């Protein structure tokens, strides 16, 4: 009954909130006009019709739990023209286990961009304490253009999805041609749609779903890219944000080229930490008695592999593969050390463990399409296509249109950040992408939220989380000193789990920022996550090393 009584009020709320957000946006190179005063009533009427949708909930799959329900709703492709083309948004839910204790809805996002979130409630059900499951209906959704939500495709071949390419003078022209071809393929196959696959529109979808569900506000747990989505939601709809947990955070000011470059910047202090760790255990691992000797051991292996790839069970590993793999591996010194020990054996022609060398086997930019192929409805390149739509389309001004500028940046950043600088800064398809329909969102508000961050994170380094904390002036931050891996909550650490769970249950932020210490068990869990593929329903972020 409560939801039915709220419906008329919410129908007004969604149009009152969405329409001004559009009217105050400056459209650059927009395919449609910003709504004028004369058309505002038509816009409101079109949005009202969306709010009146009633999801037809049904069991998601024959073998899924009965309480896990799915439905599909319609959302505008372009919120500036809500009466125009519509697309599907696949949604899911698991209802509160104690309706008398229910507080509201808990949305979630696993990361990406391009990560599927439809099965997130299953993972949250598995990992969240029962007290939290009593408080919330767990809501999942595939973001627009992803998975089962009108999935986009650029028609890319697997080799075209390999996008983190090291700079080489002899291959740079080919890399420029590749970047241009990817952008052109995307434009030809889905140009009219891709322009609207943006974080701002996904945030609008979330608010529309909020209204359809009959809720005044939403609570939210977002990982990695999902922290940026959550932050954009708080900026566009501050009055609709209830309890927001932003885990492993993106710096909004660096979306998106700067965030990719931060992978290189963040790897260098982690690499130095690794050389110290391995040197302290030289008797066990034999990589060098001092950090400088460990450093030399590593770069000698890179040089050897550059001359002739090192083979393990028939798998060639180049120097670029070693640099690329080490970028993610060094955030766990033990994991990195084990890998380098096996690499050293292989380089000497001795038997080596292919399993322990997995981080270095081939470029980390390959094989990502399979993450999106799990959904039968999604094209094989869906994750990559939706990734570029957001990374290029959210903020086109962050990407130079001059290919030569990427060459110079790659050369300079390889000097500054030898492990990964050229991978991060070299040419990307965004150099040839159309201009963004809307400007990037400037996040600067006082909405209450809780930011959770490991000290050693391979995807969103600690300074990134600190930057989001500064932008969200009503936030508090949980920093896990010594914490490894990407994604914190829940991980069995009583300090971090207790702080986050208390906030979700009570809505009360800590009085001040919290510092926790990583435990052996929580870091072991991070290493386990690093070594396995993403599983349907996982509440942790996408673990592909070339995604957020």
């Amino acid at each position: 009954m409560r939801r039915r009584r709220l419906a008329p009020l919410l129908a007004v709320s969604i149009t009152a909130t969405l329409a001004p957000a559009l009217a105050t946006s400056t459209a650059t190179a927009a395919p449609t006009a910003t709504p004028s005063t004369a058309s505002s009533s038509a816009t409101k009427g079109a949005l009202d019709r969306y709010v009146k949708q009633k999801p037809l909930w049904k069991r998601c799959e024959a073998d899924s739990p009965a309480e896990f329900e799915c439905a599909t709703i319609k959302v505008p492709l372009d919120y500036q023209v809500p009466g125009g083309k519509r697309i599907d948004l696949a949604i899911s839910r698991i209802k509160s286990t104690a309706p008398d204790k229910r507080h509201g809805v808990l949305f979630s996002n696993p990361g990406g961009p391009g990560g599927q979130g439809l099965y997130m409630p299953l993972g949250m059900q598995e990992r969240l304490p029962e007290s939290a499951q009593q408080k919330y209906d767990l809501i999942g959704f595939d973001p627009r253009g992803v998975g089962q939500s009108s999935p986009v495709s650029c028609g890319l071949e697997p080799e075209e999805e390999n996008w983190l390419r090291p700079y080489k003078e002899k291959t740079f022209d080919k890399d420029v041609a590749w970047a241009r071809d990817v952008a052109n393929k995307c434009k030809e196959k889905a140009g009219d749609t891709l322009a609207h696959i943006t974080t701002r529109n996904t945030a609008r979808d979330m608010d529309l779903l909020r209204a359809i569900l009959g809720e005044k506000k939403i609570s939210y747990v977002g990982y990695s890219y999902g922290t940026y989505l959550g932050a954009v939601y708080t900026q566009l709809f501050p009055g609709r944000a209830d309890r927001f947990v932003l885990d492993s955070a993106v710096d909004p000011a660096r979306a998106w080229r700067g965030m990719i470059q931060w992978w290189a910047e963040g790897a260098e202090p982690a690499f130095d930490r690794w050389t110290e760790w391995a040197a302290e255990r030289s008797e066990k691992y034999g990589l060098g008695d001092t950090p400088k000797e460990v450093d030399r051991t590593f770069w000698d292996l890179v040089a050897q592999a550059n001359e002739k790839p090192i083979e393990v069970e028939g798998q060639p590993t180049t120097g670029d593969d070693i640099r690329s793999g080490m970028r993610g591996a060094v955030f766990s010194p033990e994991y990195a050390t084990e890998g380098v020990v096996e690499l050293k054996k292989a380089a000497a022609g001795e038997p080596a463990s292919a399993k322990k060398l997995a981080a270095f086997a081939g470029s980390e930019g390959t094989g990502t399409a399979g993450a999106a192929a799990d959904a039968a409805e999604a094209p094989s390149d869906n994750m990559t296509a939706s990734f570029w739509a957001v990374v290029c389309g959210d903020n086109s001004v962050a990407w130079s249109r001059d290919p030569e500028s990427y060459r110079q940046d790659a050369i300079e950043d390889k000097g500054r950040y030898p492990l990964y600088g050229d991978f991060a800064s070299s040419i990307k398809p965004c150099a040839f992408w159309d201009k963004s329909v809307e400007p990037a969102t400037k996040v600067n508000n006082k909405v209450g939220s809780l930011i959770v961050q490991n000290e050693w994170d391979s995807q969103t380094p600690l300074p990134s989380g600190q930057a989001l904390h500064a932008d969200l002036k009503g936030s508090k931050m949980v920093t896990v000193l010594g914490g490894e891996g990407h994604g914190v909550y829940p991980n069995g650490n009583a300090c971090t789990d207790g702080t986050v769970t208390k906030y979700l249950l009570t809505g009360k932020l800590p009085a001040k920022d919290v510092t926790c210490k990583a435990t052996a068990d929580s870091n072991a869990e991070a290493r386990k996550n690093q070594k396995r593929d993403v599983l349907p329903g996982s509440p942790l972020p996408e673990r592909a090393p070339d995604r957020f």
Side-chain angles (χ1 to χ4, degrees):
M1 292 297 294
R2 183 172 66 86
R3 292 184 187 179
R4 285 198 292 272
R5 287 200 300 269
L6 285 171
L9 170 64
L10 290 163
V12 173
S13 298
I14 186 77
T15 54
T17 307
L18 285 174
L22 290 165
T24 57
S25 298
T26 302
T28 57
T32 55
T34 301
S36 64
T37 303
S39 64
S40 60
S41 60
T43 298
K44 178 182 180 300
L47 288 172
D48 281 344
R49 288 191 289 273
Y50 283 101
V51 174
K52 294 176 182 177
Q53 294 179 86
K54 295 181 179 180
L56 299 177
W57 296 105
K58 61 181 180 179
R59 192 171 189 166
C60 292
E61 296 178 4
D63 58 350
S64 64
E67 68 271 19
F68 181 47
E69 300 177 301
C70 290
T72 300
I73 61 171
K74 296 291 184 180
V75 297
L77 172 64
D78 181 355
Y79 275 90
Q80 296 185 29
V81 190
K85 183 178 179 180
R86 304 185 303 169
I87 58 175
D88 290 337
L89 192 74
I91 61 176
S92 61
R93 73 176 180 186
I94 296 177
K95 289 184 177 181
S96 160
T97 58
D100 59 321
K101 297 181 179 180
R102 181 183 180 278
H103 172 74
V105 291
L106 183 66
F107 283 44
S108 54
N109 179 275
Q116 298 177 25
L118 190 66
Y119 287 83
M120 283 282 285
L122 285 177
M124 302 297 275
Q125 181 189 50
E126 179 184 345
R127 302 287 296 276
L128 286 180
E130 174 61 24
S131 56
Q133 295 183 52
Q134 292 176 346
K135 280 282 187 181
Y136 297 100
D137 292 349
L138 306 178
I139 305 297
F141 66 101
D142 283 346
R144 57 169 49 209
V146 175
Q148 298 182 43
S149 293
S150 294
V152 295
S153 170
C154 295
L156 301 178
E157 298 297 328
E159 60 271 15
E160 293 177 300
E161 297 187 67
N162 177 8
W163 66 276
L164 283 163
R165 300 177 174 219
Y167 172 77
K168 295 183 184 299
E169 184 178 356
K170 64 181 180 182
T171 62
F172 184 70
D173 288 345
K174 291 182 179 179
D175 291 337
V176 171
W178 157 80
R180 183 183 289 108
D181 288 346
V182 169
N184 287 340
K185 278 192 170 185
C186 290
K187 191 182 303 184
E188 290 168 6
K189 191 166 181 70
D192 292 342
T193 299
L194 284 181
H196 304 289
I197 307 300
T198 63
T199 301
R200 286 173 68 90
N201 278 336
T202 298
R204 291 172 178 131
D205 292 341
M206 289 169 58
D207 203 56
L208 179 57
L209 177 56
R210 170 200 63 78
I212 290 171
L213 294 175
E215 302 292 332
K216 290 183 177 179
K217 295 185 177 184
I218 66 169
S219 295
Y220 177 80
V221 177
Y223 298 89
S224 199
Y225 164 72
T227 66
Y228 181 66
L229 173 60
V232 169
Y233 185 90
T234 67
Q235 192 68 31
L236 295 183
F237 309 104
R240 311 282 180 241
D242 190 1
R243 304 168 187 182
F244 269 50
V245 177
L246 307 177
D247 189 325
S248 306
V250 166
D251 176 1
R254 296 187 65 156
W256 283 104
R257 190 177 187 224
M259 281 304 306
I260 294 171
Q261 289 173 314
W262 222 333
W263 293 349
E265 296 171 44
E268 293 302 318
F271 183 87
D272 292 342
R273 173 190 182 225
W274 166 71
T275 62
E276 294 173 2
W277 191 94
E280 291 170 358
R281 295 158 179 80
S282 60
E283 288 188 9
K284 179 177 181 179
Y285 295 110
L287 298 182
D289 294 330
T290 66
K292 186 173 291 187
E293 289 178 4
V294 174
D295 180 273
R296 173 57 58 192
T297 296
F298 174 79
W299 289 108
D300 283 349
L301 288 169
V302 171
Q304 179 178 338
N306 280 334
E307 290 292 326
K308 182 182 179 181
I310 299 169
E311 290 199 10
V312 180
E313 296 184 359
Q315 174 68 44
T317 300
T318 68
D320 291 330
D321 292 334
I322 295 171
R323 289 194 297 126
S324 174
M326 196 63 169
R327 194 273 297 184
V330 291
F331 287 85
S332 171
E334 181 179 358
Y335 181 58
T337 301
E338 291 176 351
V340 174
V341 166
E342 296 305 311
L343 189 64
K344 187 179 176 184
K345 290 179 184 177
E350 300 172 6
S353 168
K355 183 177 181 181
K356 290 184 178 181
L357 276 171
F360 308 112
S363 172
E364 67 178 52
T366 61
T368 58
D374 291 337
E377 296 84 354
S380 62
D381 71 333
N382 174 240
M383 186 175 183
T384 298
S386 54
F387 175 84
W388 289 128
V390 172
V391 167
C392 302
D394 270 1
N395 187 17
S396 59
V397 298
W399 298 92
S400 168
R401 293 320 199 224
D402 178 13
E404 283 303 308
S405 68
Y406 292 91
R407 183 200 299 271
Q408 293 304 314
D409 286 351
I411 292 171
E412 291 175 8
D413 285 350
K414 187 174 183 180
R416 292 190 188 102
Y417 317 113
L419 198 65
Y420 208 70
D422 54 325
F423 283 89
S425 290
S426 195
I427 192 80
K428 307 291 187 290
C430 301
F432 304 100
W433 215 260
D434 286 343
K435 290 184 179 180
S436 299
V437 173
E438 298 181 89
T441 304
K442 180 175 175 57
V443 174
N444 181 20
N445 64 62
K446 297 181 180 180
V447 174
S449 58
L450 187 64
I451 298 168
V452 191
Q453 190 77 33
N454 277 325
E455 181 181 11
W456 301 102
D457 182 336
S458 61
Q459 306 296 92
T460 53
L462 179 59
S464 180
Q466 293 168 334
L468 181 60
H469 182 28
D471 290 339
L472 295 175
K473 295 172 176 54
S475 67
K476 292 294 186 289
M477 184 167 179
V478 179
T479 303
V480 187
L481 294 181
E484 299 172 359
H486 188 48
V488 180
Y489 179 78
N491 67 357
N493 184 319
C495 178
T496 55
D497 288 2
T499 303
V500 177
T501 299
K502 182 178 179 180
Y503 171 57
L504 288 174
L505 293 179
T506 66
K508 295 180 180 179
L509 287 165
K512 59 183 180 179
D513 291 344
V514 176
T515 299
C516 299
K517 291 184 179 180
T519 66
D521 287 344
S522 64
N523 278 347
E525 179 69 12
R527 287 192 293 275
K528 184 169 66 175
N529 292 339
Q530 188 175 28
K531 296 177 183 178
R532 70 187 181 209
D533 293 331
V534 181
L535 301 176
S538 170
L540 295 175
E542 295 286 344
R543 299 184 186 93
D546 58 354
R547 297 291 188 271
F548 294 98

